[in-house]
Amino acid sequence: MYAIVGYFDEVTESKIVKLWEELRDTAITDYPYRRKGHRPHLTFSSFTEFNPDLLQEIERLTNLYEAITIRFRLFGSFMKSDSFLLLPDPSSMLTDLHQEIYSLQAASSLYAPEHWIPHMTVANHLNPDQQAAVQHLAKQRLDPFSGTLSKIALIQITEHAVIELQISTI
């Protein structure tokens, strides 16, 4: 599987990784560490077949955009899911970028513009006790914060690793 994702600035990534480390160190969940190379990100698109022309298209697209300020004030879960998410405030720049990226590569319907809900997965595959523990820790550790979406990456996701095929700065 492949995906086009947005990476955050170093400070924002560090804040999220610190939460991930505490979740692992307190034995709540090791979800983010199950695949080598997993980084905090927003997913814009996912697909099963790789088109090499996509590399140039992503580079062209990132030249049209500047880094996007992202503000996180919400966390939660999709209904009937076993995940815990950070949800950025919607912005026209973020949705415009998503629409451009989606148009580069037909993706699963989950990422179609009319269905896409921007989110950063903190943890997944949680049982109800883990879900409650993650939420409790997030309430204790996180205040609303802003960061920057500063890179677009094309990644390959395997059973054991996330492989970065291309990273472009916006």
Side-chain angles (χ1 to χ4, degrees):
M1 172 185 268
Y2 299 90
I4 300 173
V5 300
Y7 286 146
F8 305 106
D9 62 278
E10 289 180 27
V11 172
T12 304
E13 183 167 321
S14 178
K15 178 186 275 295
I16 296 165
V17 168
K18 185 176 179 184
L19 179 62
W20 282 354
E21 289 170 346
E22 191 164 358
L23 290 170
R24 180 195 59 207
D25 295 347
T26 57
I28 296 171
T29 181
D30 66 350
Y31 163 75
Y33 300 98
R34 293 179 189 164
R35 283 191 178 104
K36 183 181 177 182
H38 185 93
R39 292 175 60 180
H41 64 274
L42 294 179
T43 303
F44 291 105
S45 177
S46 70
F47 43 95
T48 56
E49 296 199 23
F50 174 67
N51 176 352
D53 296 338
L54 195 54
L55 298 169
Q56 289 179 320
E57 289 297 316
I58 291 171
E59 190 65 36
R60 179 195 60 78
L61 182 63
T62 57
N63 288 329
L64 301 175
Y65 281 84
E66 294 183 9
I68 298 172
T69 299
I70 304 286
R71 178 147 174 86
F72 289 100
R73 295 182 300 154
L74 298 170
F75 57 71
S77 180
F78 293 125
M79 291 180 184
K80 299 194 181 217
S81 87
D82 57 3
S83 61
F84 189 83
L85 317 166
L86 292 177
L87 297 120
D89 291 350
S91 74
S92 59
M93 286 194 58
L94 185 60
T95 55
D96 289 350
L97 176 61
H98 170 256
Q99 198 146 17
E100 291 278 346
I101 290 171
Y102 184 82
S103 72
L104 296 178
Q105 177 73 41
S108 70
S109 62
L110 176 68
Y111 297 105
E114 65 272 15
H115 300 292
W116 185 64
I117 298 172
H119 65 279
M120 204 300 304
T121 303
V122 173
N124 208 350
H125 312 293
L126 301 170
N127 66 42
D129 291 338
Q130 290 171 310
Q131 183 87 2
V134 172
Q135 181 170 335
H136 180 74
L137 189 63
K139 278 184 176 180
Q140 289 181 321
R141 300 291 185 261
L142 296 178
D143 290 317
F145 66 96
S146 293
T148 304
L149 192 72
S150 58
K151 295 179 175 121
I152 301 297
L154 174 62
I155 61 173
Q156 181 180 12
I157 304 153
T158 69
E159 185 178 346
H160 300 291
V162 174
I163 303 159
E164 295 171 342
L165 303 175
Q166 177 186 16
I167 301 176
S168 300
T169 301
I170 55 176

